[in-house]
Amino acid sequence: MNGATHDLVIAGGGLAGASLACAAGVTGRRVAIIESFAVDDERQPSFDERTIALTLSSRRVFEAIGAWAAVADEAGAIESIHVSDRGRFGAARLDRRHVGAEALGYVVPTRALGRALTARIGTMDNVELLCPATAERLEQGAGPVAVHTTDGRRLQAPLLVLADGGRSTLGRQAGLALQTRDYPQMALVAVVGVSRDHGRRAYERFTGHGPLALLPMTGRRMALAWTLPADQARALVDADEAGFLDALQAAFGWRQGRFTRAGTRRAYPLSLGHLRTPVSDRVVAIGNAAHVVHPVAGQGFNLGLRDVADLAEQLADCWRRGDDIGTPAALRAYADRRSRQVRRVERLTDGLIGLFTSTTPGLPTLRTLGLNLVDLCPPVKRMLLERTMGRHGRLPHLVRGALPRGGG
Ligand SMILES: Cc1cc2nc3c(=O)[nH]c(=O)nc-3n(C[C@H](O)[C@H](O)[C@H](O)COP(=O)(O)OP(=O)(O)OC[C@H]3O[C@@H](n4cnc5c(N)ncnc54)[C@H](O)[C@@H]3O)c2cc1C
């Protein structure tokens, strides 16, 4: 395209942006990615203290883009999940054997993912990483879209991808501002030690305030994500280690033995962020810039990585055919492809929070009944797992572990 400095520019090099740079980079096209903070900078908001659950489909994407080998040693496999309602007898047990999979998912520190993606980008001469640099202004008009960076560059391409997270300033400039609704709780995260072998089992325990998730890591460590009213979350971040472990033991019980230690604790505000459409003139938003969901069920980045897989496939198709990737028709096709899954995950996560925090009389009994029914019904378990593992519907090449056609 006349005047373009690159074939693709990505603003934001966190989990979603860096993954897309790897996926688009393998086509050999000129890709630029702009990121404000280096991977080991303490202020880096995407690669931080969180340890997140990746689905098996997300693992396949990481394998296909050449970033899995570097995190494999730090990835803890989830073989089963125990879902329960605190203080009640209902429970559902989901197991990898219900879907014949090697694992239901993997638990990986985001910092390890960041290092692996950055290293992979470094192996591709056609991918230019501008970091530290901030994309501050964009120009949408007749020709290619242009973006200005704080270090004085002006990059132009047929398509600009916004992967700059849930507070996207560029999104507002492009008319893609998220509609957000804050949840009254925060999520407290920490890596904790346990005295009993976890046997690669994850726990999702619903309390009156929201879910408490414990995910198996390598060794006798588990990643905790505990939803609490904001003031309690902050108090537990500031509590001494013994006080914190006591509170956790009281909330979770003794199923995993004793909680022996806790690493760095951090509390995150929670919100639901929704876009009517993720596309505007030669601009497309992916990852948290396009949708923010509650971390219950560990779906946020898995959903963002599916944006990456679908967009990478469409880019490779267009480039192979010599088509313009930024036309309204091409962007509409991408938006249509993504809308169903995004809406479904938004509804699922928001619905779960409503269902398990509601005090409506009779609802707790119905929940218990529901969990027991799921537990007794293998086809329902299979359906639930297939959907939450990202194996439902039409799967792009990357999700099947392969590069898009024309993708190197
Ligand atoms: C407590 C908690 C637990 C979670 N657990 C899970 C889980 O188990 N599984 C899961 O799938 N998801 C989980 N998530 C969700 C997941 O963390 C997010 O979906 C993911 O971080 C989104 O990645 P992103 O790259 O879209 O956005 P971000 O992580 O927000 O990254 C945006 C990047 O853009 C950069 N940036 C911003 N503005 C600019 C600019 N103008 N110029 C240049 N760079 C810019 C930022 O520095 C950052 O690197 C969890 C979230 C929370 C809060």
Side-chain angles (χ1 to χ4, degrees):
M1 185 177 210
N2 281 346
T5 56
H6 294 82
D7 294 305
L8 180 71
V9 174
I10 305 167
L15 283 164
S19 301
L20 180 66
C22 295
V26 294
T27 61
R29 294 286 172 154
R30 292 166 307 163
V31 177
I33 173 164
I34 309 159
E35 169 53 48
S36 302
F37 301 107
V39 64
D40 283 315
D41 189 316
E42 276 187 0
R43 293 165 297 172
Q44 204 339 302
S46 204
F47 313 134
D48 60 1
E49 304 307 329
R50 269 167 307 164
T51 300
I52 62 171
L54 294 182
T55 61
L56 189 56
S57 299
S58 293
R59 172 189 169 152
R60 295 282 176 259
V61 176
F62 271 91
E63 283 171 344
I65 63 178
W68 182 256
V71 295
D73 285 350
E74 294 191 57
I78 302 174
E79 296 197 350
S80 64
I81 307 175
H82 184 273
V83 188
S84 61
D85 206 356
R86 185 181 172 218
R88 305 183 72 87
F89 286 111
R93 296 159 196 85
L94 307 168
D95 193 285
R96 66 180 180 81
R97 283 166 299 199
H98 294 134
V99 280
E102 64 209 71
L104 295 177
Y106 297 86
V107 184
V108 194
T110 53
R111 204 159 272 142
L113 291 170
R115 288 186 188 129
L117 290 167
T118 309
R120 180 70 180 110
I121 288 172
T123 64
M124 291 187 272
D125 292 340
N126 56 313
V127 181
E128 186 185 0
L129 173 61
L130 287 80
C131 179
T134 296
E136 56 179 358
R137 188 164 65 79
L138 60 88
E139 289 167 34
Q140 290 168 288
V145 55
V147 58
H148 294 258
T149 67
T150 42
D151 56 356
R153 299 270 304 267
R154 181 173 184 269
L155 310 180
Q156 282 185 287
L159 185 68
L160 168 68
V161 177
L162 302 184
D164 51 345
R167 294 200 197 97
S168 173
T169 44
L170 295 172
R172 281 196 285 280
Q173 292 178 36
L176 298 176
L178 287 169
Q179 294 163 3
T180 57
R181 167 159 56 82
D182 292 337
Y183 292 106
Q185 301 93 4
M186 294 180 93
L188 185 160
V189 307
V191 173
V192 295
V194 287
S195 66
R196 198 176 288 163
D197 181 13
H198 52 58
R200 298 181 173 168
R201 174 185 292 172
Y203 296 90
E204 185 85 71
R205 178 159 295 192
F206 289 92
T207 72
H209 302 306
L212 184 162
L214 270 178
L215 307 173
M217 298 176 68
T218 49
R220 287 202 174 177
R221 297 179 308 150
M222 299 188 89
L224 168 73
W226 187 3
T227 306
L228 291 157
D231 53 340
Q232 285 182 36
R234 288 197 197 93
L236 283 173
V237 166
D238 294 337
D240 61 23
E241 190 179 16
F244 170 72
L245 292 175
D246 283 350
L248 176 59
Q249 198 83 61
F252 183 76
W254 292 87
R255 209 172 251 277
Q256 262 310 131
R258 198 161 46 80
F259 291 106
T260 54
R261 64 200 154 80
T264 310
R265 278 164 266 155
R266 228 179 121 172
Y268 293 80
L270 300 173
S271 62
L272 177 71
H274 167 85
L275 271 185
R276 203 177 44 77
T277 172
V279 301
S280 91
D281 237 2
R282 295 198 176 276
V283 172
V284 52
I286 65 165
N288 271 26
H291 41 70
V292 179
V293 296
H294 194 289
V296 63
Q299 294 287 308
F301 175 53
N302 290 301
L303 191 62
L305 200 55
R306 188 61 180 271
D307 296 345
V308 168
D310 271 311
L311 185 58
E313 180 140 318
Q314 186 159 334
L315 292 174
D317 282 349
C318 280
W319 282 331
R320 200 181 57 251
R321 292 195 300 258
D323 291 349
D324 180 356
I325 57 173
T327 61
L331 296 183
R332 229 180 1 257
Y334 168 79
D336 289 348
R337 251 170 158 174
R338 294 303 299 134
S339 69
R340 265 182 78 178
Q341 192 193 23
V342 171
R343 297 293 164 267
R344 198 175 61 235
V345 173
E346 286 172 349
R347 276 199 304 267
L348 170 81
T349 51
D350 197 43
L352 276 174
I353 293 307
L355 180 66
F356 281 91
T357 53
S358 168
T359 51
T360 306
L363 201 59
T365 311
L366 279 180
R367 284 195 311 245
T368 306
L369 204 65
L371 283 175
N372 286 330
L373 274 177
V374 170
D375 201 44
L376 288 171
C377 198
V380 176
K381 288 183 182 181
R382 208 171 308 124
M383 186 205 59
L384 269 176
L385 286 172
E386 293 287 356
R387 283 178 180 247
T388 49
M389 288 168 76
R391 302 206 303 187
H392 177 75
R394 195 198 66 86
L395 300 182
H397 280 79
L398 285 177
V399 172
R400 288 180 263 139
L403 290 173
R405 279 171 297 151

